[in-house]
Amino acid sequence: MKYVFMFTSDPAQLAGVSEDDAQAVYGKIYGWFQENASVITDSGAELQPVETATTVKHGGVVVDGPFNEAKEVIGGFSVIEVEDMDAAIALAKTWPHLEFPGVAVEIRPMVEDYSQFE
Amino acid sequence: MSPSDALLATTIREESGRLVTALYRRFGDFDVAEEAVQGAVAEAVTSWRRDGTPRNPAAWLTTAAQRNALDLLRSRGRQARVTDRLAATYDEEAPTAVGEDPDDRLPLLFACCHPALAPEVRLALTLRAVIGLTTPQIARAFLVNEQTLAQRIVRAKRKIVATGIDLKVPDDLDERLPDVLAVVYLAYNEAFVASTGSTHDRDLGADAVWLAEVVARSLPDRAEAWGLAALLTIQHGRAASRFTPNGDLVLLRDQDRSRWDAAAFKRATEHLERAASLHAPGPYQLQAAIAMCHAEAPSWAETDWLQIVALYGFLIREDPSPVVRLNGAIALAQLGERQAATALADVETLAPQLAGYHLWHATRAELLRLAGRDAEAADADRQALELTTNDAERRLIQTRLRKHPLTDGS
């Protein structure tokens, strides 16, 4: 099954992380993508910081900022393909960034079967 | 319960989980499999009561569930050709009860107790899918709104299907088994509290004991699984004396011990010995050992409190939750006046965590009364009364308040 991993964090909590620690984890993340290349169908994207977000709302209203008011922000996403939810959870648990407080990985199954729309 | 209803209940319990698993393996859709079996259970209740029990109840259920599954797949309009092809092969196959191995219920149980599901829906889903309880039965047993419950179950089943939660025993058993055991434990204890001795069409306590034993037998090298089976077996062995015929709650100290089930205690002892032989102690085994001390005591006064206090010491080390410490304090208070004073002091320290819990107030009332502080005890009982939502418990506290009228003239 295909899942999207949404990599999220709380910038306020990450502010306390030292530059060295952040760099070390960044290196591990690079390794993570290499190690798991066989199940990553689309490595997706790493996003610019949330301060760069612009949102277009209902009615065409353009506003500065992300779509919701939560402290946690989405920092990137990837598409993975694994056997089942347990495998997806097991893989998400190895996400190197999780060693920092406020970091989370949201797992969402992708719609793959469009037969209901045919 | 009439004999035919009892047979119906045990047949449903034995077959439901297996059928859900088998239909899931066949059609690959958990929601369809579960709905099909629920439908068959509902049909069985009506049809067996009307026409009598069929010669082979298990085969009857299997046939009905298979037919429902095919109907559901057709009506959902998906995989129409696959369905027709499968339907054709069904006519050739004799309906057999699927899966004789008790293990085939375990993958289903792990799916229903999956950490991706909200904790509050795991129990309801387990009772429906694994044991074959209907939503109205679950709603009645746990005193919850039937419609809300039904919606929660639908959402949980959709999540299982949509997120690709497979029916399997997980690799990380150490991490996942506690969730399963917690649900089985809740199945018993929620039923225990909600039940006021009135007759239901299923004996939920017996169902929970049965499920605990299924888990233990399927995972025979897991000490805590045996510990839980022992614990629930003992608790159920005392169930008959927990309520008066009027549905009034009887405290352990006042229970008629001649009504306790010695055969159940013997079975529980075997479970506990099995657990002990695995040398992996844990909270369920300790609770079972404490329950066994009570089961073996001829009376409240002749209970081996020293042993129980020692066991609570170990249990608190494993599980220092406020409720466990509260129960430990009650045991400690039985050792003598000095220990009762210590126990009361312990209970007072739990106020920040347990001030909203009726049994904290009720326990405090008891210990205050032991210390001769009757006015404060009555106040505590009144607080307990305000907080309890259970009728049987409310009546018990009211009786206690009547027995101990205020002596300070207020």
Side-chain angles (χ1 to χ4, degrees), chain B residues 53 55 145 150 220 312 394 396:
Chain B
T53 313
R55 202 145 16 110
N145 179 279
Y312 265 112
R394 183 172 294 132
L396 181 78

Side-chain angles (χ1 to χ4, degrees), chain B residues 165-217:
Chain B
I165 291 173
D166 194 8
L167 270 56
K168 65 179 187 192
V169 177
D171 303 327
D172 50 347
L173 202 55
D174 286 334
E175 207 180 313
R176 297 274 310 275
L177 185 60
D179 288 342
V180 167
L181 297 182
V183 162
V184 178
Y185 179 81
L186 264 187
Y188 191 87
N189 282 284
E190 294 279 302
F192 215 68
V193 171
S195 157
T196 50
S198 61
T199 45
H200 294 296
D201 34 10
R202 286 279 294 258
D203 179 350
L204 210 48
D207 286 343
V209 173
W210 173 87
L211 188 57
E213 290 181 335
V214 165
V215 174
R217 279 198 305 271

Side-chain angles (χ1 to χ4, degrees), chain A residues 1 3 83-87 89 93 107 109-110 113 115-116, chain B residues 78 114-116 161-166 168 170 172 175-176:
Chain A
M1 279 192 59
Y3 301 88
E83 184 60 27
D84 61 15
M85 185 61 168
D86 284 352
I89 290 174
K93 281 183 174 175
I107 306 168
M110 269 174 68
D113 176 11
S115 62
Q116 55 181 314
Chain B
R78 271 189 263 158
H114 198 280
V161 175
T163 57
I165 291 173
D166 194 8
K168 65 179 187 192
D172 50 347
E175 207 180 313
R176 297 274 310 275

Side-chain angles (χ1 to χ4, degrees), chain B residues 221-393:
Chain B
D221 61 343
R222 297 286 152 163
E224 279 292 85
W226 288 109
L228 179 62
L231 174 63
L232 299 190
T233 304
I234 299 166
Q235 288 187 343
H236 199 56
R238 301 196 310 228
S241 61
R242 241 179 93 91
F243 293 99
T244 67
N246 306 328
D248 286 335
L249 196 60
V250 184
L251 289 178
L252 181 58
R253 70 174 71 198
D254 304 320
Q255 285 174 15
D256 175 3
R257 294 179 185 227
S258 69
R259 294 179 64 201
W260 288 0
D261 183 351
F265 295 161
K266 190 165 164 285
R267 221 171 63 233
T269 306
E270 287 163 16
H271 295 341
L272 254 186
E273 281 167 0
R274 186 91 193 236
S277 73
L278 295 163
H279 303 292
Y284 291 123
Q285 294 167 75
L286 287 164
Q287 287 180 71
I290 291 167
M292 193 53 93
C293 286
H294 288 299
E296 284 170 347
S299 70
W300 176 264
E302 293 163 276
T303 304
D304 187 352
W305 290 110
L306 207 55
Q307 169 88 349
I308 291 178
V309 168
L311 287 167
Y312 265 112
F314 292 123
L315 183 58
I316 289 167
R317 270 211 309 234
E318 298 257 352
D319 173 13
S321 66
V323 172
V324 171
R325 287 164 61 198
L326 182 68
N327 289 330
I330 298 173
L332 181 64
Q334 312 307 319
L335 289 180
E337 230 170 85
R338 200 166 43 83
Q339 289 89 341
T342 312
L344 180 57
D346 284 353
V347 167
E348 299 290 10
T349 65
L350 298 172
Q353 295 109 307
L354 294 182
Y357 181 49
H358 64 285
L359 290 182
W360 178 75
H361 293 281
T363 305
R364 199 171 154 262
E366 240 186 278
L367 296 177
L368 285 166
R369 205 161 275 131
L370 274 177
R373 293 155 67 179
D374 285 355
E376 288 166 85
D379 275 343
D381 261 341
R382 257 184 243 109
Q383 298 242 33
L385 195 59
E386 228 166 85
L387 288 166
T388 181
T389 51
N390 181 280
D391 280 345
E393 285 181 340

Side-chain angles (χ1 to χ4, degrees), chain B residues 135-137 139-140 143-153:
Chain B
T135 302
Q137 280 175 327
R140 247 179 308 161
L143 310 172
V144 291
N145 179 279
E146 189 179 320
Q147 235 179 337
T148 316
L149 181 69
Q151 283 166 354
R152 262 194 240 146
I153 290 172

